[in-house]
Amino acid sequence: DLSVARYGASGGGNKTRGIFCGGNLSPAVTNTIEYITFSTEGNAADFGDDIEAKQIAAACANNTRFLNAGGRKSSNYDTNVISYITIPTLGNAADFGDLSVQRQNLKGLSSNIRGVWGGGYASPGAASNVIDYVTISTTGNATDFGNLNNSVLVPGAAASTTRGLFAGGSPVTNVIDYITIATTGNATDFGD
C-alpha cells in the first residue's frame, strides 16, 4: 500500500525502484514521494518531498534520475516546474528547470539520455500539442521538441531507447504519434 489513498500521482523508476510522486488526497494535494523496491513485496516507504505539492503531473526517468514535470497545484493553477530526484539516494527533490508552457494532464517518456513531455492542458486555454525535452543528466529549462499532430490531454505514452509514442487522449482520439527521441521535430503518424 501507499501511505495514504490518493489519485493523480505520477510514477516511474529504474530497474530497482518504483517511484510515486504527489497526487490528490481530496481535497488537498501532496508533495510526498514514496518508493518501492521491485524485488521485495511490501508497503511503499517515504523517499522525501517534491518541491511543490501537485497532481496530474508527468514523470520520466533513466537509471539514475526521476523527473516530475508540470501538474496542477493546490492553489488551482497549473505549474511548469520540473523537479528531480536521484533514484538510488533517498531525499527531497531539487529544482531541474521549467517546461516551456505551464500545463497539467501531460505525459512523459524517456530514453536514457532525454526526457520528453507531450500534450496536456494549458490553463486557461485548451488541450496542447506541445512537445518539450530535456537532457536528464543536466539541469535547465526544457527546449521545444516539436508538436503532436493533435492537441490532446492525458495521452498514453511509451518509449523504447529510440522511439517515443503518444497515443489517444482527450478529446477522444485513436491516433498514435511517434517521435525519434534523439532528434527534434514534429511527431509523425504511427497508426491508430
Side-chain angles (χ1 to χ4, degrees):
D1 293 331
L2 294 172
S3 62
V4 65
R6 61 187 187 262
Y7 67 89
S10 53
N14 61 15
K15 294 177 182 179
T16 305
R17 285 185 169 167
I19 307 292
F20 309 97
C21 188
N24 191 312
L25 305 174
S26 191
V29 295
T30 183
N31 67 343
T32 298
I33 305 171
E34 296 182 306
Y35 76 98
I36 53 100
T37 302
F38 289 120
S39 63
T40 307
E41 294 179 7
N43 295 335
D46 184 57
F47 189 99
D49 293 328
D50 201 355
I51 60 176
E52 57 185 4
K54 59 188 178 181
Q55 63 176 317
I56 50 182
C60 64
N62 66 10
N63 289 328
T64 306
R65 283 185 169 177
F66 170 95
L67 280 62
N68 195 38
R72 176 154 282 246
K73 295 177 65 166
S74 58
S75 53
N76 289 327
Y77 69 90
D78 298 340
T79 180
N80 64 349
V81 170
I82 306 168
S83 60
Y84 77 97
I85 58 172
T86 302
I87 299 172
T89 308
L90 303 181
N92 294 334
D95 185 50
F96 186 97
D98 295 328
L99 294 170
S100 64
V101 178
Q102 292 181 336
R103 59 198 198 272
Q104 57 168 296
N105 279 308
L106 63 165
K107 288 297 178 174
L109 56 87
S110 59
S111 66
N112 287 327
I113 308 296
R114 281 187 172 175
V116 181
W117 295 275
Y121 181 82
S123 296
S128 173
N129 67 351
V130 171
I131 306 171
D132 288 337
Y133 78 96
V134 296
T135 301
I136 297 173
S137 63
T138 65
T139 59
N141 293 335
T143 302
D144 181 58
F145 187 99
N147 294 314
L148 297 171
N149 285 309
N150 296 299
S151 295
V152 293
L153 54 138
V154 293
S160 70
T161 56
T162 308
R163 276 190 174 175
L165 301 175
F166 292 97
S170 177
V172 177
T173 179
N174 66 346
V175 171
I176 305 169
D177 283 343
Y178 79 91
I179 57 168
T180 301
I181 299 173
T183 65
T184 59
N186 293 335
T188 302
D189 182 58
F190 185 93
D192 293 330

